[in-house]
Amino acid sequence: MAAKVLAIVLAGGEGKRLMPLTADRAKPAVPFGGMYRMVDFVLSNLANAGFLKIVVLTQYKSHSLDRHITKTWRMSTLLGNYVTPVPAQQRRGPWWFAGSADAIYQSFNLINDEQPDYVIVFGADHIYRMDPRQMVDDHIASGASVTVAGIRQPLSTADQFGVIEVGEDGKRIRAFREKPTDAVGLPDAPDQIYASMGNYVFSTRALCEAVERDAADKTSKHDMGGSIIPMMVERGEANVYDFQDNEVPGSTDRDRGYWRDVGTLDSFYDAHMDLINVHPVFNLYNFDWPIYTDQPPYPPAKFVHQWGERVGRAVGSMISPGAVISGSLVENSVVSPKVKVHSWAQVDGAVLMEGVEIGRHAVVRRAILDKNVFVPEGAEIGVDLEKDRQRYTVSDNGVVVIGKGQRVEP
């Protein structure tokens, strides 16, 4: 008989480093890749794998996230399948979630209702493809209490990640450390480390016992990666799952093993640029493992005008339905639905979210424009960064970010 599995998606993150994109929405609700929301990637991985009992724990400014999940992620109820957002409910007292471990502690009713054999706990704000069935199978075969997904990274980057250190068998986790400066390489690759992906598979009893123990510790931060996993590592109950062993149908040698934590404006921008290569670093066109999302009834994208330099065209870009490129040039960009780029405008290296409008003769370079931003005729974004810094957010790498609904000054 197949094991019973419940998936819990942690989607309560505030995403302060993505401001202003998270000014009025939770990080997992931030649009990505023209058509999607960040949360669609983890939900698609779970759905493609056949794990169809999914709860999404939400907290911070969750309205748009709740609305997206409710509208988009509808499963057949005939077999008891569901994807449902679950806000903090103060079931354990008059307080909100104090951390990701506390979120699960306060949501024990969800586990009790389903009585699963295993619980998947995945984050909601990473961009990747993964077949979680293979990780669950690995966990069951190992007999461990928890299995932590690890992605191989250069040893020199260990101070940027939560690092998983393993024993000589390459599986049992002997230490779990946050951004160490003295990390040790892997037994089979001394120049590499395992970085935690924030994805876990638990045996249900072990998860409940660990979270209850953590809840009683008033000095704990009540965090899955910072509290629960180190506790279980210390007890010798934790294994690692090597992400490079995960085989996703339809993946290529170029995009296999892709995973990005888009927690900063620069990583968010760079992940978009990964989409638009001729041979994408992350391939959205893998129809064997689709990324699902809401598909509104927008018309096809339209390119109009062909007179002199007034030619509507896009090169090295992704253009979403409902967009109109009118007598303008779009290069190396990701264009979301209902975007309008007017005549003689130039857009290069930009992420334009839904409803953005670029006026005639405007110039937009290396920028992220949130929903419904209006750039008037002749305005320039990303041309004079010192001027832009006085008015907008500019990332460490010089990407200009303009928040939802702003009207750019001429």
Side-chain angles (χ1 to χ4, degrees), residues 82-96:
Y82 57 84
V83 179
T84 184
V86 180
Q89 301 177 73
Q90 300 191 358
R91 285 180 174 270
R92 299 285 182 170
W95 54 80
W96 304 114

Side-chain angles (χ1 to χ4, degrees), residues 320-338:
S320 299
V324 179
I325 313 301
S326 175
S328 52
L329 174 60
V330 176
E331 298 180 281
N332 311 310
S333 297
V334 177
V335 176
S336 300
K338 298 171 64 178

